[in-house]
């Protein structure tokens, strides 16, 4: 359906804020205080900037009727010090209990992740939330089996000499692969760390910016999980295994079409960390403005 976009001239105060924020330059204003005009409305990506910034509700957009527009109370926003403390406190806590993650917490984590920006406002990031124990065990087994196959190939007496020359970096992972296989054989979960829930974040294969979009979503969800007291672990091993499912057959068994770019294993922590520690100094290079 074509986008319907217009300006309510009776309410518009001609402040020009919509002109300044529109990424498509659809809103125009010939000079300060002049009437707002529209050009090329068919190029609108429905980001909603114009609707959100208008102080009088004068921008009328068919994708954003009144019930989808909400006022913001700045007093309710976290202070910079609070947000920075949250970032400092966020850790991948792998000491998890066997308690389920509350459904409402999962909903809020997904909502926060969904709120992340996406390239050209495509909003093609999707979420698969898995809490079924059998399904989680299938994912763990798939990851272990994938790494076992890699180990067999790397250690094959006929292939090993060639691969050592062509891809020596792969052999640095052999000890880690053996450790994972050993822990799994001993009855432990080295992949999801006994997490009780998993959120897979995926996009259509055709989305060129899917990885960036999905990982922006992950960061939002991760910070929400920290707020809620839910432990979250980035599932790097699982993602590496899924990347080898090039035809997507295994993912389709979970109803997923496309590419999984990020995964968040979730569980209720046995305890919280009472302290944060400093990281290495940030590598920052500044290029100052040239004096005129």
């Amino acid at each position: 359906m074509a986008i319907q976009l217009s300006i309510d001239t009776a309410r518009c105060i001609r402040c020009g804020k919509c002109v300044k924020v529109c990424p498509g330059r659809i809103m125009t204003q010939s000079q300060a205080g002049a009437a707002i005009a529209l050009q090329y409305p068919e190029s609108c990506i429905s980001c909603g900037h114009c609707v959100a910034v208008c102080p009088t509700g004068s921008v009328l957009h068919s994708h954003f009727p009144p019930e989808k527009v909400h006022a913001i109370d700045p007093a309710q926003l976290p202070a910079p010090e609070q947000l920075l403390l949250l970032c400092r406190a966020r850790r991948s806590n792998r000491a998890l209990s066997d308690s389920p993650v509350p459904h409402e917490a999962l909903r809020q984590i997904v909502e926060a992740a969904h709120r992340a920006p996406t390239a050209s406002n495509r909003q093609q990031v999707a979420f698969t939330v898995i809490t079924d124990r059998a399904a989680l065990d299938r994912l763990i087994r798939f990851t272990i089996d994938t790494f076992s196959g890699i180990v067999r190939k790397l250690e094959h007496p006929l292939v090993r000499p060639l691969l050592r020359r062509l891809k020596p970096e792969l052999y640095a992972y052999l000890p880690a692969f053996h450790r994972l296989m050993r822990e799994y054989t001993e009855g432990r979960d080295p992949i999801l760390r006994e997490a009780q829930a998993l959120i897979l974040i995926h996009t259509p294969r055709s989305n060129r910016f899917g990885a960036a979009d999905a990982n922006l979503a992950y960061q939002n969800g991760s910070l929400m999980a920290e707020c809620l007291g839910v432990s979250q672990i980035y599932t790097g091993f699982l993602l590496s295994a899924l990347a080898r499912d090039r035809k997507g057959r295994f993912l389709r068994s979970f109803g997923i079409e496309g590419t999984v770019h990020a995964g968040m294993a979730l569980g209720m922590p046995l305890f919280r960390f009472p302290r944060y520690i400093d990281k290495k100094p940030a590598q920052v290079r500044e290029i100052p403005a040239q004096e005129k």
Side-chain angles (χ1 to χ4, degrees):
M1 182 182 296
I3 293 171
Q4 303 298 315
L5 180 62
S6 62
I7 305 295
D8 184 342
T9 56
R11 283 188 288 176
C12 179
I13 59 174
R14 304 184 179 187
C15 64
K17 291 179 179 178
C18 58
V19 176
K20 292 180 172 64
V21 301
C22 179
R25 307 290 187 188
I26 294 168
M27 312 289 185
T28 65
Q29 190 176 36
S30 59
Q31 61 184 26
I36 305 299
L38 303 176
Q39 62 179 0
Y40 313 118
E42 66 277 5
S43 65
C44 176
I45 62 172
S46 296
C47 65
H49 287 348
C50 57
V51 177
V53 79
C54 182
T56 61
S58 304
V59 180
L60 306 179
H61 196 299
S62 56
H63 284 189
F64 305 105
E67 62 270 19
K68 288 191 174 183
V69 182
H70 311 278
I72 297 173
D73 179 3
Q76 297 298 313
L77 298 176
E81 296 79 11
Q82 293 174 311
L83 181 57
L84 187 55
L85 180 59
L86 180 67
C87 293
R88 288 168 171 165
R90 186 245 177 269
R91 303 197 70 81
S92 297
N93 185 353
R94 294 173 173 81
L96 305 179
S97 74
D98 56 4
S99 299
V101 180
H103 178 77
E104 177 60 17
L106 292 172
R107 186 197 66 78
Q108 288 180 283
I109 292 168
V110 171
E111 166 69 9
H114 177 62
R115 289 284 177 175
T118 58
S120 299
N121 195 42
R122 284 184 174 88
Q123 298 187 51
Q124 292 181 330
V125 178
F127 307 88
T128 296
V129 182
I130 302 171
T131 55
D132 177 68
R133 186 69 256 168
L136 294 173
D137 289 342
R138 280 185 61 213
L139 286 159
I140 296 167
R141 180 75 213 189
F142 172 81
T143 305
I144 293 296
D145 288 346
T146 298
F147 289 146
S148 297
I150 294 173
V151 168
R152 286 194 297 272
K153 182 178 293 185
L154 292 177
E155 294 185 336
H156 192 285
L158 298 179
V159 177
R160 183 184 182 105
L162 179 61
L163 283 181
R164 269 204 175 279
R165 289 197 302 271
L166 296 178
K167 295 188 176 182
E169 70 279 2
L170 291 177
Y171 287 85
Y173 292 98
L174 265 179
F177 293 159
H178 279 295
R179 175 180 59 80
L180 296 175
M181 294 159 58
R182 182 174 63 255
E183 289 185 11
Y184 184 75
T185 301
E186 293 171 352
R188 288 176 283 172
D189 171 14
I191 306 303
L192 301 182
R193 303 289 180 169
E194 309 297 343
Q196 299 299 308
L198 174 69
I199 300 177
L200 296 176
I201 308 176
H202 44 95
T203 67
R205 293 181 184 273
S206 58
N207 189 333
R208 290 179 54 207
F209 305 101
D213 290 350
N215 281 284
L216 285 171
Y218 180 96
Q219 289 302 321
N220 267 25
S222 176
L223 290 175
M224 175 56 80
E226 191 70 36
C227 281
L228 294 167
V230 178
S231 290
Q232 75 277 192
I233 306 164
Y234 194 85
T235 57
F237 287 128
L238 173 60
L239 294 176
S240 296
L242 290 175
R244 300 182 70 83
D245 178 35
R246 292 185 175 88
K247 295 186 178 180
R249 291 173 180 168
F250 181 74
L251 282 175
R252 278 195 292 274
S253 70
F254 287 87
I256 298 174
E257 294 286 348
T259 303
V260 173
H261 299 285
M264 186 186 304
L266 297 158
M268 302 310 297
L270 288 172
F271 45 77
R272 300 292 296 271
F273 286 78
R275 300 178 180 85
Y276 72 84
I277 59 173
D278 290 335
K279 304 193 75 155
K280 295 178 182 178
Q283 299 183 41
V284 180
R285 179 172 173 264
E286 294 188 16
I287 302 178
Q290 298 295 316
E291 293 185 6
K292 296 182 179 179

